[in-house]
């Protein structure tokens, strides 16, 4: 079970969001289905903003001290340095994808979040100094669309910054309002409304805006409207994020809540499974059976997230997500065992 000191609601939210990450990435296997584009746009309108918000909320305690900087290296930098080339060459060798480098400098596919989160954490002590950094981050996000160089995914670092900063500044008492009856009653029609908007994404915005990594110059929207459209996408993302989080149960859900503590395992390993399924020919099946293929893909993605977060699988894979921390922990256990008194 999750330790009692943890907030079970946050673990529930994290598990829901990382599951949607897997679903979103798996949707690429069923592009022949018209419904897949709606599912994809609906998810991406709000689930990345929600994920970034939670990351910011959980980063409040970060300071520039040796212990936290070491943790940053162990839990984000080292996994990025290891998994970025691992997934890159797996995609080329197993999935037969013509992905291009350079690795590390230009994060590809799922790996962008690790390096961007690391950079957000590094500036956290500054961003949390005053709430005025929140409106400033919105301006930075709007101007970030002018940045076209994807090195270290700076466009996403800038574009999604407001959600991270908001997470830094909101306190538990603010999030308690998500339990208000009127908020929960409004959440469902809000998400339905966003679902309707997702049907017409390319008429009021552009799917590329949902990724926060495409420069304005590459988006087919008139210059005089592009800032307004980016702001609209941000507002929709914020409303959708809070609407979805308000529907997540606050109580401990047992095994599901426990799985919410293993989101890094799910995030780092799900891409290998998805690309393996692609190499086995799943897109051909979904092209021939678009409806059933979409349903099976979504169900399979959810099952994959739950499998990777399950305790037996987690125990095997978790050491790879933080190898240096795992080695240190094993050494500490060995030292304690060696120093323990023995009975004569």
């Amino acid at each position: 079970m999750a330790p009692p000191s943890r907030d079970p609601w946050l673990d529930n939210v994290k598990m829901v969001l990382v599951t949607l990450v897997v679903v979103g990435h798996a949707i690429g296997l069923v592009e022949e289905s018209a419904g897949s584009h709606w599912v994809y746009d609906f998810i991406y309108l709000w689930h990345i903003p929600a994920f970034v918000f939670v990351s910011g909320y959980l980063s409040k305690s970060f300071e520039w001290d040796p212990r936290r900087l070491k943790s940053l290296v162990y839990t984000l930098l080292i996994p990025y340095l290891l998994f970025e080339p691992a997934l890159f060459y797996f995609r080329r060798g197993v999935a037969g994808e013509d992905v291009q480098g350079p690795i590390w400098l230009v994060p590809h596919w799922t790996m962008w979040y690790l390096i961007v989160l690391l950079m957000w954490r590094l500036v956290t002590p500054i961003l949390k100094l005053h709430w005025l950094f929140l409106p400033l981050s919105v301006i930075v996000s709007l101007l970030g669309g002018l940045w076209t160089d994807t090195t270290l995914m700076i466009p996403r670092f800038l574009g999604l910054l407001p959600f991270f900063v908001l997470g830094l500044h909101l306190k538990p008492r603010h999030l308690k309002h998500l339990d208000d009856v009127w908020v929960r009653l409004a959440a469902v029609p809000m998400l339905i409304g966003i679902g309707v908007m997702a049907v017409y994404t390319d008429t009021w915005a552009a799917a590329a805006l949902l990724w926060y990594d495409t420069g304005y110059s590459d988006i087919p929207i008139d210059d005089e409207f592009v800032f307004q459209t980016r702001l609209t996408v941000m507002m929709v993302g914020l409303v959708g994020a809070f609407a979805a989080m308000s529907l997540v149960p606050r109580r401990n859900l047992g095994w599901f809540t426990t799985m919410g503590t293993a989101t890094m395992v799910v995030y780092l390993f799900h891409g290998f499974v998805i690309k393996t399924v692609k190499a086995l020919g799943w897109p051909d099946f979904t092209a021939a059976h678009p409806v059933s293929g979409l349903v099976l893909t979504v169900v399979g993605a959810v099952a994959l997230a739950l499998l990777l977060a399950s305790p037996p699988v987690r125990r095997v894979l978790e050491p790879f997500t933080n190898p240096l921390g795992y080695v240190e922990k094993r050494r500490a256990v060995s030292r304690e065992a060696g120093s323990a008194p023995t009975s004569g």
Side-chain angles (χ1 to χ4, degrees), residues 128-336:
K128 67 181 183 179
L129 287 176
H130 200 281
W131 66 266
L132 284 176
F133 279 104
L134 181 56
L136 181 60
S137 69
V138 175
I139 296 174
V140 169
S141 176
L142 294 176
L143 295 178
L146 301 173
W147 193 295
T148 57
D149 186 355
T150 57
T151 300
L152 296 180
M153 278 299 166
I154 296 299
R156 278 177 164 162
F157 171 81
L158 301 174
L160 291 162
L161 184 63
F163 304 107
F164 186 84
V165 177
L166 181 63
L168 288 177
H169 288 278
L170 287 192
K171 300 185 180 343
R173 70 174 184 271
H174 299 134
L175 295 184
K176 285 291 185 183
H177 289 295
L178 294 178
D179 282 340
D180 293 348
V181 174
W182 72 268
V183 174
R184 291 187 169 181
L185 289 176
V188 173
M190 286 291 184
L191 290 173
I192 292 174
I194 293 174
V196 174
M197 294 180 72
V199 176
Y200 305 100
T201 302
D202 290 329
T203 61
W204 66 272
L209 278 173
L210 311 185
W211 309 328
Y212 291 87
D213 66 346
T214 305
Y216 293 151
S217 58
D218 297 322
I219 295 175
I221 298 177
D222 294 338
D223 293 342
E224 60 267 29
F225 297 114
V226 72
F227 289 101
Q228 175 185 335
T229 306
R230 164 66 76 89
L231 185 60
T232 301
V233 169
M234 290 169 58
M235 292 174 62
V236 172
L238 184 63
V239 170
F242 283 120
M245 289 191 295
S246 72
L247 298 176
V248 176
R250 289 271 180 178
R251 67 183 185 280
N252 191 311
L253 299 177
W255 59 269
F256 188 84
T257 302
T258 302
M259 287 182 175
T261 65
T263 52
M264 184 62 81
V265 173
V266 179
Y267 194 86
L268 290 177
F269 283 96
H270 77 276
F272 295 95
V273 179
I274 290 176
K275 293 306 178 183
T276 299
V277 171
K278 178 182 179 181
L280 294 175
W282 184 252
D284 296 331
F285 171 82
T286 60
H289 308 86
V291 176
S292 59
L294 175 60
V295 173
L296 290 173
T297 298
V298 172
V299 172
V302 173
L304 173 60
L306 296 176
L307 175 66
L308 290 174
S310 64
V313 177
R314 172 185 181 174
R315 281 193 292 270
V316 174
L317 298 181
E318 202 163 38
F320 297 98
T321 68
N322 184 3
L324 296 184
Y326 176 76
V327 170
E328 285 191 358
K329 184 177 180 180
R330 295 285 293 180
R331 288 177 176 174
V333 171
S334 298
R335 284 196 298 268
E336 290 179 2

